[in-house]
Amino acid sequence: MSWTGWVAGWVTGVALGQSPATLEAVRLHRSDAAALARAELTACEQAKCPDAGRLGLLAGTLVLSDGDAAQARDLLTRHAPPAPLEAFHAFYLGQARFYAGDPNGAAKDFERALEKASPALAVRARARLGESLLDAHRPRDAAPVLESAAAAQPTPELLFQRAQARAATGNAAGQRADLKTVALRFPSHPYADEALEQLAALKPAVKLTLPEHLQRARGFLSDDAARAEAELVTAEKRGLVKGAPAQAQVALLRAQVLFARGKREEAEKALAVARKGPPAIAAEAALVVARRALRSDDNEKARKLMAALDKAYPSQAAGEEGAFFAAWLDLQGGRFEDAAKSFADYEKRYKGSRRRDEAMWFRALSHIRLEQHAKARQALDDLVTAYPKTSLAPQARYWMARTEELGGGKPATVGPAYEAVISAAPASFYALLATERLHELGRTPPAAFPQPPKQLTLPRPPELELAVALTRAGLFRDAADEVQSRVSGLRGPDQALPFAHALLQLGEFGHAHVVAARYLWGRAFGAKAPDALAAFYPRAFAQAVETEATRQALDPFLVWAIMRRESAFRPEVMSAADARGLMQIIPPTATEIAQKMAEPAPAPADLFAPERNIRYGAWYLAQLMKRFAHPALAAAAYNAGPKAAVRWTQERGGMPLDLFVESIPYRETRGYVKQVVADLYLYHRFYEKDGPQARLALTVPAPSTDGVSF
């Protein structure tokens, strides 16, 4: 589904055997996709059209995915496939035969697929060949195949199958190792329980140790707390929890399990046991309590708990974290003097901390809030001197210039400092801020990039031809796998640049961005080459974006800036929170948007369709802009929700924009706002030819009391 396919077909101007409606149904995994494909195959057969092989391949794969292996086998054997797709035809025919109960026939098909398979398909075909040989009671033939397949792709399925082959060929040690890996590394997988049963049946039986039970419990914690609890109970019943250290360790994990199950009182009792254990465990237990207070927004309580951690466990990682967050909570609470002192103390006592550069930044921010400009500049200078390559360097250098200006520095001194920020970090939020500050000083800012992005028209690399053929056949997942495999095989920017531009020509903006991010970063942001910038800042899905932006009276460049941050132009992306598609819209929000637009509620899969996702995202962004009247606030609301954005403007709205953004309490939202706003104005400067240059307002407007709130 990640390969948009239909775009590629249109761009290349090649007639497709499948109708656009069928391809769209396939791409979105709609329930009628197989029926549409079968109907088109029947019509093609009656008309004796030349596309029967390609149509039969699609129909067969779709019927197979619907669970009818026998019908899929019959469809796949009716027509020979197009020459480029012979290996894929053999692979899917092997799948159909295997699930229809013919493992020997499947093995022959998978062997045939391997003869012409691309590297991406070969990995899958080799795995299925090993499974088929094993299912056909040919373990000696299966063993070398599974050894190779599991080494290349150690999935729980392949490891479990390799364990069976190893057992049949006398490799008992290898069998035990594979079964243990499945049981411990993949505890939620169906094979994990079977692996445990087989380990227990060995002679001598293999039983898990306490650390191994705890590993399995942690593996269950995120998605099945009840099973995590059961794992701990099993360890206790087996008499493995002996002595105070072990009891404290189990109690700590049990507390986390009980919190996940909503059993707060029982969890707190378990934590009390853990806090009586050895210092390392007691510190972790105390940190769990402090973190929960922090997440509940009880900042006063959290501050006391964090400070207590620092005092009680200064040699433990939990103590270091307590010291950092105690200082951070002082900063959030407006106790800037205390925050500056606490961060300075943290820097001295935890010199090896991975957070030390961040502490130096927050110390500087505390001085900025106190208008102690000289002290702020000293802290910032300490930061860039100690950590010249830190990701915080652009903001440190911007604020060094800004505090110099606020402290009465002359334009002749401050101006070059702002210009240096633009030169060193041209795509950053701080380059944009520096540009605006130079305008205020009456100076002409240097261009962040001398030339706008330039898309090249180049011959399509031969490595992409198979992906295009798969696209035309409607095998979008296979096409995406091929592209990803080819991307991983690129060697440096010289190979990557034509590949990225070929993907842009095909409308595959997400894949082009992946190539650019991996291989063209230095060319785009160091050399500032326009051909590399094109893959980082495309006008993706331009027709849909411009149409919806016009309809909603919305800046189209804001849509692209949000899209770039949310999905990097990949229509298939789905987050852990079930946000979907280009603009990362969750189904409940899509339903509310559809109701406001007087449209039927979409199916969740419909949110992967670029046009619909853009339509909903543009509507929502337009409502946010109507309410908040500033792209930074709209971006904050898009990421953290309108209620949070309103609260922040009520608490901090009198600040200038740069300080307001630095004071957003959510780390993720701070970074999100900075990137979206920087990208918005880069898009304007890259592509807006007419009219005055877009300017960033440096004041924070009060939001409307009415407007979108979801």
Side-chain angles (χ1 to χ4, degrees):
M1 188 174 63
S2 59
W3 181 262
T4 54
W6 51 277
V7 177
W10 288 345
V11 171
T12 53
V14 176
L16 299 173
Q18 300 85 350
S19 69
T22 296
L23 290 177
E24 183 74 347
V26 174
R27 193 170 60 83
L28 297 180
H29 293 286
R30 288 212 327 248
S31 59
D32 61 342
L36 288 170
R38 288 200 308 272
E40 289 189 354
L41 173 61
T42 300
C44 179
E45 289 171 335
Q46 291 172 351
K48 297 183 179 179
C49 80
D51 284 320
R54 192 165 62 199
L55 287 164
L57 176 57
L58 177 60
T61 58
L62 291 173
V63 168
L64 180 63
S65 69
D66 284 346
D68 193 337
Q71 186 183 12
R73 178 197 58 207
D74 295 342
L75 286 167
L76 289 165
T77 52
R78 271 160 57 177
H79 301 283
L85 304 180
E86 289 172 344
F88 288 87
H89 179 269
F91 176 80
Y92 284 112
L93 182 55
Q95 296 270 66
R97 289 195 205 278
F98 181 86
Y99 291 114
D102 180 10
N104 275 307
K108 292 177 182 177
D109 289 322
F110 292 130
E111 287 173 341
R112 191 160 51 87
L114 280 168
E115 292 173 4
K116 296 184 178 181
S118 64
L121 180 62
V123 172
R124 295 159 61 197
R126 190 172 293 109
R128 296 314 314 276
L129 172 60
E131 183 180 7
S132 299
L133 291 168
L134 194 63
D135 202 61
H137 306 293
R138 296 164 58 186
R140 294 195 177 278
D141 293 330
V145 178
L146 288 169
E147 288 291 342
S148 172
Q153 197 178 26
T155 64
E157 294 85 357
L158 284 173
L159 290 168
F160 185 81
Q161 291 156 12
R162 188 173 70 177
Q164 311 313 303
R166 284 175 164 179
T169 54
N171 183 356
Q175 176 198 15
R176 285 195 299 272
D178 280 346
L179 291 174
K180 261 203 168 184
T181 299
V182 173
L184 298 178
R185 194 180 299 169
F186 309 100
S188 297
H189 194 277
Y191 277 143
D193 289 338
E194 198 168 342
L196 284 177
E197 291 176 8
Q198 291 189 15
L199 286 168
L202 293 175
K203 294 184 180 179
V206 176
K207 296 183 178 180
L208 300 187
T209 64
L210 177 60
E212 289 168 342
H213 278 293
L214 295 179
Q215 181 180 344
R216 277 176 52 83
R218 291 187 190 98
F220 286 127
L221 186 57
S222 62
D223 57 5
D224 194 342
R227 288 207 66 184
E229 170 69 9
E231 197 71 30
L232 298 178
V233 170
T234 299
E236 289 170 332
K237 286 181 176 178
R238 289 188 53 218
L240 298 176
V241 187
K242 297 176 180 177
Q247 290 170 357
Q249 195 173 17
V250 170
L252 175 58
L253 186 51
R254 174 166 278 128
Q256 295 169 296
V257 170
L258 291 168
F259 278 128
R261 299 185 70 184
K263 299 182 178 182
R264 180 177 173 179
E265 290 185 9
E266 294 177 51
E268 289 175 347
K269 290 178 181 177
L271 278 177
V273 174
R275 293 183 73 166
K276 295 177 182 177
I281 298 171
E284 283 298 314
L287 183 58
V288 168
V289 176
R291 283 175 176 165
R292 286 184 61 80
L294 188 61
R295 284 196 296 269
S296 69
D297 287 333
D298 189 346
N299 287 354
E300 184 177 346
K301 180 180 179 181
R303 201 306 180 179
K304 291 178 181 177
L305 291 170
M306 291 293 183
L309 265 173
D310 178 31
K311 184 177 180 180
Y313 306 105
S315 62
Q316 301 289 336
E320 178 191 321
E321 187 163 341
F324 181 88
F325 278 104
W328 185 82
L329 287 164
D330 281 336
L331 178 62
Q332 291 301 307
R335 299 180 293 275
F336 304 124
E337 288 280 7
D338 291 340
K341 291 175 182 176
S342 296
F343 280 120
D345 181 60
Y346 178 90
E347 293 167 40
K348 292 175 183 176
R349 294 197 298 122
Y350 297 106
K351 291 183 178 180
S353 169
R354 61 183 175 83
R355 285 200 177 105
R356 190 166 180 266
D357 58 341
E358 195 175 5
M360 297 172 88
W361 157 247
F362 282 130
R363 172 163 62 92
L365 182 58
S366 301
H367 289 305
I368 292 169
R369 296 299 305 275
L370 290 164
E371 300 184 4
Q372 296 172 344
H373 302 132
K375 288 184 177 180
R377 279 197 308 282
Q378 183 60 58
L380 293 165
D381 186 63
D382 292 345
L383 169 58
V384 296
T385 300
Y387 301 98
K389 295 184 179 180
T390 177
S391 61
L392 300 172
Q395 69 196 69
R397 292 193 170 95
Y398 167 79
W399 281 104
M400 287 174 74
R402 180 66 180 142
T403 52
E404 177 77 26
E405 182 183 5
L406 290 170
K410 303 293 185 183
T413 302
V414 176
Y418 283 136
E419 290 166 3
V421 173
I422 297 170
S423 177
S428 72
F429 178 62
Y430 297 98
L432 174 60
L433 291 174
T435 296
E436 294 300 335
R437 296 301 179 191
L438 286 167
H439 280 303
E440 290 180 340
L441 294 173
R443 298 170 69 100
T444 301
F449 294 94
Q451 298 179 61
K454 181 181 179 182
Q455 188 169 329
L456 306 177
T457 302
L458 301 170
R460 187 160 63 219
E463 295 86 355
L464 277 174
E465 293 303 328
L466 179 57
V468 172
L470 288 162
T471 289
R472 293 174 189 157
L475 302 183
F476 300 129
R477 175 195 165 186
D478 298 292
D481 288 345
E482 288 300 316
V483 173
Q484 290 163 4
S485 173
R486 298 300 182 181
V487 167
S488 66
L490 294 173
R491 294 293 179 267
D494 290 341
Q495 285 186 354
L497 187 67
F499 202 88
H501 279 273
L503 291 167
L504 289 173
Q505 288 174 268
L506 291 170
E508 291 301 327
F509 308 104
H511 286 294
H513 191 277
V514 168
V515 172
R518 188 175 297 182
Y519 298 105
L520 301 177
W521 191 270
R523 186 179 178 90
F525 302 111
K528 303 179 183 179
D531 51 11
L533 288 171
F536 283 100
Y537 298 96
R539 285 177 288 187
F541 308 95
Q543 183 175 355
V545 169
E546 289 167 0
T547 296
E548 296 303 327
T550 299
R551 179 177 292 140
Q552 300 297 337
L554 177 68
D555 183 349
F557 298 118
L558 181 57
V559 179
W560 279 311
I562 292 285
M563 186 188 299
R564 184 174 189 268
R565 177 61 180 80
E566 289 287 350
S567 66
F569 313 111
R570 294 170 296 165
E572 81 285 357
V573 172
M574 184 169 72
S575 76
D578 202 27
R580 297 168 179 239
L582 291 168
M583 307 292 283
Q584 287 291 277
I585 300 170
I586 61 173
T589 297
T591 298
E592 291 200 55
I593 292 171
Q595 289 173 350
K596 297 288 187 183
M597 298 179 74
E599 293 183 5
D606 291 341
L607 296 177
F608 294 117
E611 296 89 347
R612 183 174 296 215
N613 197 281
I614 289 168
R615 185 165 75 251
Y616 289 166
W619 181 91
Y620 186 61
L621 266 178
Q623 303 310 307
L624 291 176
M625 282 300 294
K626 287 176 185 176
R627 183 169 190 191
F628 291 98
H630 195 292
L633 299 182
Y638 200 97
N639 178 258
K643 292 179 181 177
V646 167
R647 184 172 71 252
W648 297 333
T649 56
Q650 290 171 343
E651 294 171 351
R652 305 173 173 88
M655 297 179 183
L657 180 72
D658 50 9
L659 198 52
F660 175 86
V661 173
E662 303 292 12
S663 299
I664 291 174
Y666 299 170
R667 177 201 292 265
E668 178 190 333
T669 305
R670 282 198 306 276
Y672 184 95
V673 170
K674 291 175 186 179
Q675 182 176 333
V676 166
V677 174
D679 289 349
L680 167 62
Y681 285 87
L682 279 175
Y683 265 108
H684 271 285
R685 288 163 191 177
F686 285 153
Y687 296 113
E688 194 169 51
K689 305 295 183 184
D690 303 321
Q693 189 178 69
R695 297 288 300 276
L696 174 68
L698 295 179
T699 56
V700 179
S704 170
T705 54
D706 299 322
V708 66
S709 60
F710 59 89

